[in-house]
Amino acid sequence: MNQNHSRNLSNTNFEGSIDLNVITNDSFQCVKTKLLLKEYRTTVCAHNIRKDTDVSGLIVRNGIWEENLVTRIVRILSMNRQLSFIDIGANIGIYTMYAAKLGCKNVIAIECFRPNVERIRRAVQLENVQNQVIIMARALYNKSNVYLSLRTNIANNIGSQRLNAEVQNNENNSLVVQTIRFDDLLPVVRKRDIREAIIKIDIETSEHHLCGTGEQMFSQINIPFVMMEWANIKEIPSRANLVQEFFIKRGYIPFKSVTCEPETEKDYRLWHSQDIFWIKKTHTHLCKG
């Protein structure tokens, strides 16, 4: 993997956000995605499909990745136009790009891995949705503005990294990233007058940082729906317990991602879904349609 990429991920209006008008010097394979709900398709820029078979390979061949989950997000956003979208662990941006293309006015992508960030930026430029998208080139963590090393997580998924350890900054290494707390998004939320948002979060067992650093965000805006990868974090009880307590305390119900039905099993270790939907009791209609 080439770890030397453009360092011009300069801040724009918000600390950590990148300038979406800077043209990268890299050449990417950018493809049109599958038409969803008979109406929405977008552009995604892929990694080398021989090395990134799990995500880029599927998107280049089939035009889609995680089709059922992406379709769920697209359906919710298209039927609830007041909602903003926060994509935490955006990878190469398939959720971000569908959300922007369907007209979501505020799409915030949080992605720390520089090669992913560059690909999302290029796709945003190709679809001309710069006014709708903010890319935060940061890793969600329990402290702001420290630097972490990343370690390879899945061999066939270039964009899937795990947080490793705090280190000194090294701008020449794409495996060294800067951090953000979820509450650090409050200036973005206030400036763009975001009042309601749904979240997708997939950050390789670090999903608990959403809960540990997001008290103010969850208090100040309505977040009725959170799609969270669950299969891995449930194996770490301290993290899974924090997540479950956080959402249950706030009136959320866990839903199975495949059927969009409530999870009746009390022991989260026995939840067999790869992903879980945390949905507010007042918003279970989001699973309909």
Side-chain angles (χ1 to χ4, degrees):
M1 182 189 305
N2 181 9
Q3 296 179 2
N4 294 314
H5 292 263
S6 170
R7 285 181 280 168
N8 197 350
L9 299 182
S10 57
N11 294 348
T12 52
N13 293 328
F14 309 105
E15 183 177 4
S17 67
I18 70 162
D19 187 344
L20 295 178
N21 294 311
V22 172
I23 302 299
T24 178
N25 294 323
D26 294 311
S27 177
F28 304 134
Q29 181 179 10
C30 300
V31 299
K32 281 293 185 181
T33 61
K34 184 175 181 178
L35 188 69
L36 297 183
L37 303 182
K38 300 180 180 179
E39 189 171 357
Y40 306 110
R41 68 161 37 104
T42 188
T43 299
V44 173
C45 297
H47 290 289
N48 184 322
I49 62 172
R50 292 189 299 274
K51 297 179 180 178
D52 187 41
T53 58
D54 288 0
V55 179
S56 295
L58 287 174
I59 292 172
V60 170
R61 287 195 303 274
N62 304 324
I64 195 66
W65 172 65
E66 295 189 343
E67 181 172 359
N68 290 339
L69 296 175
V70 175
T71 302
R72 175 67 58 188
I73 294 295
V74 169
R75 181 177 287 112
I76 291 172
L77 291 173
S78 64
M79 295 176 67
N80 301 271
R81 295 286 178 169
Q82 79 282 6
L83 291 172
S84 298
F85 179 58
I86 303 174
D87 186 0
I88 306 174
N91 202 292
I92 56 174
I94 193 161
Y95 288 86
T96 287
M97 292 309 302
Y98 269 109
K101 189 60 178 179
L102 66 83
C104 185
K105 293 181 180 179
N106 292 295
V107 180
I108 302 172
I110 301 177
E111 174 55 50
C112 64
F113 186 48
R114 202 174 303 149
N116 287 345
V117 170
E118 294 284 11
R119 284 162 174 79
I120 301 170
R121 172 159 58 186
R122 186 62 186 136
V124 165
Q125 293 167 349
L126 291 171
E127 289 290 349
N128 195 29
V129 290
Q130 291 95 322
N131 290 337
Q132 297 162 241
V133 177
I134 295 173
I135 304 176
M136 306 296 292
R138 294 287 188 269
L140 193 64
Y141 190 53
N142 60 14
K143 290 184 278 188
S144 303
N145 295 319
V146 299
Y147 292 89
L148 298 174
S149 61
L150 301 177
R151 60 186 173 89
T152 301
N153 181 34
I154 303 171
N156 297 318
N157 184 341
I158 289 175
S160 171
Q161 315 290 334
R162 287 196 181 185
L163 302 183
N164 191 22
E166 293 186 18
V167 295
Q168 296 297 311
N169 184 22
N170 182 348
E171 292 185 354
N172 293 315
N173 188 348
S174 63
L175 295 177
V176 173
V177 301
Q178 198 168 354
T179 64
I180 190 173
R181 300 172 77 257
F182 192 50
D183 282 343
D184 293 340
L185 291 183
L186 282 170
V188 182
V189 165
R190 290 167 181 154
K191 177 140 188 199
R192 296 186 72 114
D193 194 27
I194 296 173
R195 302 181 184 184
E196 294 185 84
I198 64 172
I199 295 172
K200 173 233 123 185
I201 179 166
D202 179 355
I203 50 176
E204 308 303 332
T205 75
S206 291
E207 289 81 7
H208 62 296
H209 292 312
L210 174 72
C211 307
T213 72
E215 183 82 30
Q216 295 180 65
M217 281 285 288
F218 276 85
S219 297
Q220 294 192 26
I221 68 172
N222 180 30
I223 302 174
F225 178 101
V226 177
M227 187 183 91
M228 177 180 288
E229 186 179 51
W230 189 252
N232 296 320
I233 196 172
K234 76 176 184 180
E235 303 299 332
I236 308 174
S238 61
R239 298 182 181 186
N241 288 337
L242 188 157
V243 170
Q244 184 180 43
E245 291 168 7
F246 180 90
F247 284 110
I248 297 301
K249 177 182 176 181
R250 287 163 176 77
Y252 289 79
I253 301 171
F255 278 69
K256 302 173 184 177
S257 60
V258 175
T259 61
C260 224
E261 297 173 345
E263 180 57 75
T264 56
E265 174 58 59
K266 300 298 182 184
D267 186 348
Y268 64 73
R269 293 171 298 179
L270 300 178
W271 298 352
H272 299 300
S273 298
Q274 176 72 20
D275 302 89
I276 284 290
F277 299 158
W278 294 103
I279 306 177
K280 280 188 174 179
K281 294 176 182 178
T282 53
H283 287 73
T284 56
H285 62 275
L286 294 176
C287 255
K288 297 178 182 177

